[in-house]
Amino acid sequence: MIRRIAVLLVCVLVMSGCGGGAHMFAVQAVAAGVPSLAPFFDEKQGLGQDADIRSMPVRGTLQQGDTPGLYGGTKKPTICDVAKLKRFLTDPANHQKAVAWSSVLGITTDRIPAYLDRLTPVLLRHDTLVQNHDYKKGKATPFNSLLQSGIAILVDEQGEPAAKCSCGNPLRPFKGDAGRISVKFADGNKKWNGYEPTSVVAVRPAPRTMERLALVDVDDPDRGITRPVGTTGKRDTTFDTRQRHAVPNLMGTTFGEARRHLVNSGLAVGYAGSASPPDDARVTASDPPAGTELRFGQYVMLSVADGTSGGASRGVTSTPPAPTTSAPTQGPPTSTAPPSTPSTSTPPTSSAPTSSPPPSTPPPTSEPPPSSSAPSSASATTSAATTGSTSLVTSSPPTSAPVTSSAPVASSVPVTSSVPITTDPVTGTPAATET
């Protein structure tokens, strides 16, 4: 009898996934406004300030840093004091911390000032997975964490989280499976209102560096903020996130090409599940279909030929997003690419992808995007003329090739930005548990 029980237990353990197939990644919750237990920087000195924002739903857990609607902003100048962080890390008295901080980001201490000059303060609009770092015993100690929406961070030129503003802790990409996380709420970080595993996102770097970020004002979602990379708000301009932009004709294009066309149109890429389809997978359908007019940052769900569906059958009806901040949050998401004004020549719904570049004037770009990334004629959303550096590089469609920055082009009243995420929560989100 004992032998039978032992054999039965072994079978149960094997079938339950003890072989590693069901491995969960432990993640520590980090709530907005809660001080870190082992920060690099004394948070009482006001290095950064978080906001009260409810996490927006996502459609596809892995999103690139130039995704329209990813980040938010505010007119308040207290989100992140980059100059103060620079003084702290360059002070000889803090050399040991500077060494630990720079080692996480792969730079030397002498490059810290130049590196910080290229970072841009934003507010998270989604609960975001990152590899965080505490400062313990003279070293940077890494740990996986889930940052609550509303936390102020610094992002690099590809839209990737680089540092948490309030404590200066360096951030790197989450290295686990975003679909298999176990979130631990402890050390004062109680489960926040509105937490939903389906609203969790992990950020991957944009394929190209950006010149501008298109943010959604968390206090007024109908207003977008165009912020040049490396600035903290003094050169901000605004645009109208309510401006409608036509979904390009993406039939027959690759997933990578479709993504570029959508970003250049100020729209976000949606798909089911926690893993995006391969870039070379052929798009067979989009939901909503080509020609549908959406606000800045709204999702377009893609299905690809290999059967990996982006969820077209689960139509992403571009309904306005649920409020994500203490202020109205149903406004557009903070995407990195501003939408151009809906082109009158809405792309046909034929299966052949349009290849002609949008007729609008593209905003300045830091570097020309690959020829394959030229936005389809369907996405011929004219990017609003922006004042100087206010045009969104990655999002406004260039005349010859898509711009590589994320800030929307804005004229006297910029309207070429992308609409915030206004769709329902992602249909395929990471299965997350919390303890």
Side-chain angles (χ1 to χ4, degrees):
M1 179 63 71
I2 294 177
R3 288 180 181 177
R4 290 179 179 177
I5 293 176
V7 171
L8 181 59
L9 287 174
V10 170
C11 292
V12 170
L13 290 174
V14 171
M15 294 179 66
S16 64
C18 288
H23 174 70
M24 302 292 285
F25 292 87
V27 175
Q28 180 176 329
V30 177
V34 176
S36 171
L37 296 180
F40 271 76
F41 190 92
D42 184 357
E43 299 187 54
K44 295 180 181 179
Q45 297 184 28
L47 179 64
Q49 183 176 343
D50 299 334
D52 182 13
I53 302 175
R54 180 180 290 271
S55 183
M56 293 290 294
V58 295
R59 293 186 178 274
T61 301
L62 295 179
Q63 293 291 334
Q64 293 186 347
D66 61 350
T67 298
L70 190 60
Y71 298 121
T74 177
K75 289 183 175 181
K76 300 175 183 177
T78 54
I79 290 182
C80 195
D81 192 335
V82 182
K84 183 178 292 186
L85 179 60
K86 183 188 297 186
R87 288 194 300 271
F88 177 83
L89 292 173
T90 55
D91 187 338
N94 302 316
H95 180 69
Q96 190 171 3
K97 284 189 175 182
V99 171
W101 193 90
S102 60
S103 65
V104 171
L105 298 164
I107 60 176
T108 55
T109 55
D110 60 309
R111 293 179 55 196
I112 289 178
Y115 179 78
L116 289 173
D117 286 341
R118 297 195 301 271
L119 301 184
T120 311
V122 300
L123 292 170
L124 294 178
R125 298 187 73 236
H126 307 277
D127 294 339
T128 304
L129 290 166
V130 297
Q131 184 186 68
N132 206 339
H133 295 79
D134 276 336
Y135 182 73
K136 297 179 179 179
K137 298 181 179 180
K139 296 182 179 180
T141 304
F143 65 98
N144 290 328
S145 69
L146 177 64
L147 303 183
Q148 183 184 6
S149 60
I151 287 180
I153 66 169
L154 291 171
V155 298
D156 64 18
E157 297 165 299
Q158 291 178 283
E160 199 169 40
K164 186 172 180 288
C165 287
S166 65
C167 59
N169 290 4
L171 306 174
R172 299 303 296 161
F174 176 70
K175 296 180 179 179
D177 183 347
R180 292 183 177 278
I181 60 173
S182 177
V183 183
K184 180 180 180 181
F185 295 86
D187 300 325
N189 298 283
K190 298 180 180 180
K191 182 186 292 188
W192 46 82
N193 292 330
Y195 166 71
E196 290 290 344
T198 56
S199 294
V200 171
V201 67
V203 181
R204 293 294 177 263
R208 294 158 291 171
T209 59
M210 299 178 287
E211 290 184 356
R212 297 166 183 80
L213 297 176
L215 313 175
V216 171
D217 190 329
V218 298
D219 297 318
D220 181 3
D222 288 339
R223 179 172 57 222
I225 298 173
T226 299
R227 178 168 297 167
V229 167
T231 65
T232 58
K234 293 181 179 179
R235 295 169 55 191
D236 287 356
T237 56
T238 60
F239 62 93
D240 188 351
T241 60
R242 297 168 298 181
Q243 180 67 41
R244 297 279 170 168
H245 305 279
V247 174
N249 179 12
L250 305 173
M251 294 284 287
T253 63
T254 65
F255 182 81
E257 291 170 339
R259 186 191 175 283
R260 286 191 292 270
H261 294 331
L262 289 172
V263 169
N264 288 330
S265 300
L267 302 175
V269 178
Y271 58 88
S274 58
S276 62
D279 282 349
D280 60 355
R282 292 288 170 180
V283 174
T284 58
S286 69
D287 184 8
T292 304
E293 294 189 346
L294 304 177
R295 285 176 51 136
F296 169 86
Q298 286 189 293
Y299 281 99
V300 175
M301 299 293 282
L302 300 178
S303 292
V304 296
D306 64 1
T308 305
S309 172
S313 61
R314 290 183 173 268
V316 173
T317 64
S318 41
T319 56
T324 60
T325 71
S326 50
T329 54
Q330 30 183 356
T334 66
S335 125
T336 53
S340 47
T341 57
S343 68
T344 54
S345 58
T346 304
T349 58
S350 67
S351 60
T354 58
S355 58
S356 60
S360 63
T361 303
T365 70
S366 57
E367 59 181 284
S371 58
S372 62
S373 64
S376 64
S377 57
S379 63
T381 59
T382 64
S383 57
T386 67
T387 61
S389 61
T390 58
S391 61
L392 231 212
V393 177
T394 50
S395 25
S396 32
T399 55
S400 60
V403 196
T404 61
S405 101
S406 54
V409 187
S411 53
S412 52
V413 178
V415 289
T416 58
S417 59
S418 4
V419 193
I421 311 172
T422 58
T423 61
D424 298 327
V426 187
T427 57
T429 54
T433 62
E434 61 274 354
T435 59

